[in-house]
Amino acid sequence: MDTSQIKETINMVAEEHLDIRTITMGISLLDTIDSDPKMAAKKIYNKITHYAKDLVQVADQIEREYGIPITNKRISVTPIALIAGNTSAEDMLYYAHALDDAAKAVGVDFIGGYSALVQKGFNNGDLALIHSIPKALTETDLVMSSINIGSTKAGINLDAIKLMGETITEVSTLSNTATAKLVVFANAVEDNPFMAGAFHGVSEPDVVINVGVSGPGVVKRTLEKVKQQPIHIVSETIKKTAFKITRVGQMVGALAAERLGVEFGIVDLSLAPTPARGDSVAEVLEEIGLEQVGTHGTTAALMLLNDAVKKGGVMASQRVGGLSGAFIPLSEDAGMIDAAQEGTLSLSKLEAMTSVCSVGLDMIAIPGDTPATTISAMIADEAAIGVQNNKTTAVRILPAVGKNVGEMVDYGGLLGTSPVMPVINKSSADFVNRGGHIPAPIHSFKN
């Protein structure tokens, strides 16, 4: 690297909020299956603590050596419903506590994989896990849960969507913050390093390191240099910036994998914001030319941003994976919060934006008395966008019990603060209560 490139990288870190958002160790638990849930939980704890015992230490060491902040250290595991197929909802909690205890023992921030894949139907383990979620998420501190209820190949499981609306509502009655640890997917991917949706897919290696990089502040600062230039110059500028950010992520991921003696998986180049000013996807969109995110043109600007990020990342590394795009979690983005408070950004506009970005309706507070069927219908809409467009979509909706529209809810740390958003007050109950399976779209038949 020449002097100008070194200086540029230093500025990215010091002034533009470039960070490695997460180093996530994926661990297969397929070899921990046991008919006795207590014995299985013990095996799970032992395997996680064996492989991840040095994860935090290695990440901290790399951070010191290279001066690149590594914000989170995380673990993802095989979807627990696959491991605990013959377990009751009550006994499923042994698995949740084993995950939590292991995560605390090795010092990571979160552990994901308290998950089930039910896009085509349920087995015993799936139902037991889903029914255990309210207790699992409120009795543990670091466990994250995800449920995949649809895919382009399988269609959409409306019975699962109804059940997840009820589950989210139940969790919210027990805790105003635990719902932030639960996400409902369509087309979930197996190598996602970001929470709450991370799990270790069955086709992944036994143990692997995946890295999530984030740099909306870097992109915004770069776009400040091309004001009033044609839109294709904006796209090209974002591509070049994404290329540089991805290279940093690949270097860190490869180093971590080598030092831990495991395989290096992927770099997920997702522009994930934080509540800090200057680290906002909304501000990037506004730098493209919007007075405020949510106004007309927002979806087009977001499409351009998402596409350019992916193109730049793919050019930089053969190991780009995960979700890789632009995240729009409301509570975690200062610019999004501003727009929601001023009424420029609505739930309907956020839904439209999810058709062209990663991932979906994320970290959005709604009134606590919102019916479970309405939450289910929100999930169904997002799943439809994902299934029809062959992309990942998700819902992390946060019913705020005792809060009214416009009031603020603080979720703490990187999860930020969200205004309670208004929800359409017309019922979707008859639709949701039909149950059954929405068929896969015609373009899914490609064999």
Side-chain angles (χ1 to χ4, degrees), residues 92-153:
M92 193 68 73
L93 295 174
Y94 288 118
Y95 295 85
H97 286 288
L99 294 177
D100 199 46
D101 291 344
K104 289 173 179 175
V106 300
V108 296
D109 298 283
F110 297 113
I111 185 164
Y114 200 74
S115 306
L117 312 175
V118 297
Q119 58 267 27
K120 209 167 183 177
F122 303 102
N123 61 41
N124 179 74
D126 299 325
L127 288 170
L129 184 136
I130 292 171
H131 288 308
S132 75
I133 284 174
K135 284 187 176 181
L137 295 188
T138 53
E139 291 182 7
T140 62
D141 299 311
L142 306 181
V143 173
M144 297 281 182
S145 181
S146 60
I147 308 294
N148 192 72
I149 49 77
S151 72
T152 299
K153 195 68 179 174

Side-chain angles (χ1 to χ4, degrees), residues 2 11 76 86 108-109 124 134 162 188 217 238 258 313 355 360 398 442:
D2 62 31
N11 287 339
S76 65
N86 191 31
V108 296
D109 298 283
N124 179 74
K162 179 182 178 183
I238 296 169
E258 180 183 356
S355 66
L398 315 172
I442 187 65

Side-chain angles (χ1 to χ4, degrees), residues 2 23 47 107 110 112 141 149 192 203 250 257 313 338 347:
D2 62 31
I23 287 181
K47 183 166 187 180
F110 297 113
D141 299 311
I149 49 77
N192 168 24
S203 65
Q250 179 166 296
D338 291 342
L347 263 174

Side-chain angles (χ1 to χ4, degrees), residues 201-254:
V202 295
S203 65
E204 292 289 295
D206 191 47
V207 184
V208 68
I209 288 291
N210 296 320
V211 171
V213 186
S214 185
V218 179
V219 175
K220 179 182 183 297
R221 186 67 65 88
T222 305
L223 290 180
E224 290 173 358
K225 302 172 185 176
V226 294
K227 288 183 182 293
Q228 300 180 337
Q229 295 293 311
I231 200 70
H232 68 274
I233 300 296
V234 172
S235 177
E236 193 66 23
T237 301
I238 296 169
K239 272 192 339 188
K240 291 177 179 177
T241 306
F243 180 95
K244 296 170 186 175
I245 295 170
T246 305
R247 282 295 174 91
V248 173
Q250 179 166 296
M251 178 193 73
V252 170

Side-chain angles (χ1 to χ4, degrees), residues 293-314:
V293 68
T295 190
H296 305 293
T298 297
T299 306
L302 183 57
M303 186 204 77
L304 178 144
L305 172 63
N306 211 56
D307 180 66
V309 165
K310 290 178 185 289
K311 287 174 177 173
V314 169

